[in-house]
Amino acid sequence: MKLSFRWYGEEDPVKIEYIRQIPTMHSIVTAVYDVPVGEKWPVESIQKLKKTVEDNGLHFEVIESVPVHEDIKLGLPTREKYIENYKENIRNLGAAGVKVICYNFMPVFDWTRTQLDKVNEDGSTALVYYRDQLEKMDPLTGELSLPGWDSSYTKEGLAEIFEKYSKITDEDLWTNLGYFLGEIIPVAESAGVKMAIHPDDPPYPIFGLPRIITNEANLDRFLKLYDSEYNGLTFCTGSLGSGNFNDIPKMVGKFASMGRIHFMHIRNVKLLEDGSSFEETAHHSSYGSMDIVKIISALQSNGFDGYIRPDHGRMIWGETGRPGYGLFDRALGASYIAGIWEAVEKTTK
Ligand code: CS2
Ligand code: MN
């Protein structure tokens, strides 16, 4: 297992010098952030990022994310140009030593929460998703501001994209994803880069938009769309785990044994009784609905040797900055993961 940590580049309030001080840290997960979605990343930007990471004693092997242009998800004729750019990005990243590229296929919105600063009893704050709050939100009024999505949409732009998606069914999205994989996976194979789709978060439709990377049956279907080791998964325990229909340790074991998990995002969520609300918690199993020891045991007993990063943390010790992506709680999560990994390894051999 290779322990890794997400870093948002020079703009990130978390310093890369601090990330390297987390025990057993192996690699930085990052991206080129100043290029619009769908365009080519300049080779100089990739090289600069690689140098910064390597100068700090860390590996530059995982990219999160190379975002997929909406025209590809919508299956529009203009997708061809964006797919060609995507292939070029895969080739250039592979040439720079990148081994895994994380991406997602969620229409319009990436991860969605209804509140970014819910105060816990201990004074820390966390990201939460409450169904009743979501039902009151209307993205088309233009007042919505969500952390994980492209804030460059204007009110009109958003209305337009919703109109385009109103004609897209789940089956259309599957077809468009299959087409995309058919184009990019052969390129990934020859570039030596494993593609790893991130599941939808939360794993059910929101605002009437289709979502398909949500559960075990759909992950099976996804892997069969293009049967190659290079067509794999970013297994995010928090995203898949916020659907009460997903048995996370079982799914981790199954997909790891198939050699199709290339990247793990480990975090905990506490599922609330209504079945479609949840709170992000500290990583420790006792705080949420995920059993992190079972998850790590399932990885080890099925031969997982990919990258793991702690996913979203709470804000603790007065830290401010990008919600979910502070240094402190994610560093605690990284140490917790590394500790369990060592314990399971030493007690099962
Ligand atoms: C999020 C996402 O849960 C997560 O990991 O931070 O933004 C994630 O990076 C993307 O969905 C991956 O494409
Ligand atoms: Mn994730």
Side-chain angles (χ1 to χ4, degrees), residues 131 155 238:
R131 186 174 63 191
K155 197 173 159 185

Side-chain angles (χ1 to χ4, degrees), residues 198 236 239 265 267 309 311:
H198 188 285
C236 180
S239 302
H265 283 183
R267 66 180 160 88
R309 75 164 176 85
D311 210 352

Side-chain angles (χ1 to χ4, degrees), residues 6 8 64-65 102-104 106 110-111 198 201 236 239 265 267 309 311-312 325:
R6 193 173 195 180
Y8 284 92
E64 177 175 352
S65 308
C102 169
Y103 68 103
N104 71 69
M106 285 177 257
D110 191 330
W111 54 300
H198 188 285
D201 182 354
C236 180
S239 302
H265 283 183
R267 66 180 160 88
R309 75 164 176 85
D311 210 352
H312 312 167
Y325 282 97

Side-chain angles (χ1 to χ4, degrees), residues 232-278:
L233 308 173
T234 295
F235 195 105
C236 180
T237 63
S239 302
L240 289 163
S242 45
N244 59 9
F245 38 83
N246 284 327
D247 180 339
I248 300 301
K250 174 182 167 236
M251 290 163 70
V252 164
K254 169 174 158 180
F255 296 117
S257 75
M258 293 162 67
R260 301 294 279 277
I261 302 180
H262 305 315
F263 187 23
M264 284 295 299
H265 283 183
I266 297 189
R267 66 180 160 88
N268 211 337
V269 279
K270 184 174 167 199
L271 298 184
L272 305 186
E273 269 163 21
D274 67 6
S276 44
S277 297
F278 57 90

Side-chain angles (χ1 to χ4, degrees), residues 177-196:
L177 177 54
Y179 181 86
F180 176 61
L181 296 175
E183 292 287 317
I184 65 157
I185 300 297
V187 175
E189 284 170 339
S190 55
V193 177
K194 291 178 181 162
M195 298 302 299

Side-chain angles (χ1 to χ4, degrees), residues 94-164:
V98 166
K99 309 271 182 275
V100 173
I101 295 177
C102 169
Y103 68 103
N104 71 69
F105 215 75
M106 285 177 257
V108 194
F109 300 100
D110 191 330
W111 54 300
T112 303
R113 298 292 178 271
T114 58
Q115 204 186 326
L116 305 179
D117 56 356
K118 161 87 188 352
V119 183
N120 298 315
E121 262 176 38
D122 63 5
S124 60
T125 61
L127 305 164
V128 296
Y129 179 100
Y130 296 138
R131 186 174 63 191
D132 56 338
Q133 282 182 352
L134 189 92
E135 282 164 358
K136 288 189 206 113
M137 292 164 98
D138 180 0
L140 297 180
T141 60
E143 286 148 18
L144 198 64
S145 161
L146 296 168
W149 71 291
D150 185 355
S151 51
S152 61
Y153 281 114
T154 58
K155 197 173 159 185
E156 295 69 36
L158 205 56
E160 212 174 285
I161 194 108
F162 263 74
E163 169 60 25
K164 288 181 183 159

